[in-house]
Amino acid sequence: MIFEQKEIQLQPYQRGFHLITNLIVNDFSEIKTIKKGILKVFIKHTSASLTINENADSTVRQDFESHFNVMVPENQSYYIHTYEGSDDMPAHIKSSLLGSSIEVPITNGRLNLGTWQGVYLCEHRNYGGSRKLVLTAFGV
Amino acid sequence: MIFEQKEIQLQPYQRGFHLITNLIVNDFSEIKTIKKGILKVFIKHTSASLTINENADSTVRQDFESHFNVMVPENQSYYIHTYEGSDDMPAHIKSSLLGSSIEVPITNGRLNLGTWQGVYLCEHRNYGGSRKLVLTAFGV
Amino acid sequence: MIFEQKEIQLQPYQRGFHLITNLIVNDFSEIKTIKKGILKVFIKHTSASLTINENADSTVRQDFESHFNVMVPENQSYYIHTYEGSDDMPAHIKSSLLGSSIEVPITNGRLNLGTWQGVYLCEHRNYGGSRKLVLTAFGV
């Protein structure tokens, strides 16, 4: 049984959806030693999130940003938690809609993603700063 | 430690929400050998997704389809990624809202689901075709 | 390899979002024996869910309840599954939007959560009753 875990810190990203698949793979070469396993990626924040989606056309990521801003608008009259800025409460809600972790099967030392799948960092704050991820890979 | 992984290909499903619990269990008899463990199901696509919900009344699955079409409508003026059809960009967003993987505890050789829980394949495209799943079960 | 699993039953919570981090940790002391691992929490229901979000200000949890009620309203004309009450079908949809499980890395015998992260029980029914969770912790 192989069980590897590491914490990494990302550069600050601007608000929006960003492909980080290569960054994770390059930072975690232990994946190559696993024949059958799972990679888990966990984000240690409540106003940024992780998801898996289309890895080719950047307009998909732009449309994600547009639609999430419609589905979870700023400045709703019913928000009470407003003292951290108008982007803050929507950022919390978006984070839970997308989730704080993703997982990918590992097969023969590689992430077993579909052809069009990539890992997104979803930065929901205007100035979210540097985000921390915990990477855990295990298997045989 | 038991660690089993296999890839399966589903028949094409029509757009909507479909119960696939039995299909997964029948296709993965190694679950029976695990006393305490986890089953992970991962879908290798970005316009179909997986979730766990009510397994009895098919109207729940119909209402899922209706509500997701309202929450993530087609033909929004702000969509840029439109060249793959009006159902494509909403399918990507719905997929990330529901997620590309589910997990279920395994207890004494069986999925430890609640009485009313089942696994849904969520097909968000009009003609999504055959979808691939990676099943991973591990435990002791 | 350490692999521990247990089922717990929560007291009934009122409709809304509730912090249950301490309750989980206190109920599962085996976490302390794991140096590098994962905690999975699974809810055995389809009208309550789990998520990770802000652990400090209770107004965040109130705003979650307000916004989910707007994003997934009761009494929509297109709902067919209505015989269990007007809060039932929205509860199913909210549950899948948030998800039936969360995971947290375990590092040096402790949950490796970010400073502001906590585990929420999301009770979507008016009278949901007592909910069952399956806790699984594994690692080395």
Side-chain angles (χ1 to χ4, degrees), chain B residues 51 53 63 67 103 112, chain C residues 40 44 78 80-81 92 96:
Chain B
T51 194
N53 218 286
D63 288 356
H67 186 72
E103 62 163 46
N112 193 352
Chain C
K40 329 279 302 174
K44 295 179 74 170
Y78 50 80
I80 308 170
H81 181 84
H92 289 307
S96 276

Side-chain angles (χ1 to χ4, degrees), chain C residues 23-85:
Chain C
L23 192 154
I24 289 167
V25 174
N26 297 344
D27 233 329
F28 206 24
S29 59
E30 292 84 347
I31 291 168
K32 291 180 197 149
T33 65
I34 296 174
K35 213 175 154 208
K36 296 186 286 185
I38 299 273
L39 169 71
K40 329 279 302 174
V41 187
F42 179 78
I43 189 163
K44 295 179 74 170
H45 303 271
T46 63
S47 56
S49 60
L50 298 167
T51 194
I52 292 174
N53 218 285
E54 213 264 13
N55 63 13
D57 186 346
S58 66
T59 60
V60 171
R61 300 193 291 282
Q62 290 177 256
D63 289 354
F64 262 86
E65 176 65 16
S66 301
H67 186 72
F68 271 80
N69 290 338
V70 168
M71 201 167 55
V72 191
E74 300 189 2
N75 302 310
Q76 293 303 94
S77 60
Y78 50 80
Y79 291 147
I80 308 170
H81 181 84
T82 54
Y83 63 89
E84 291 182 67

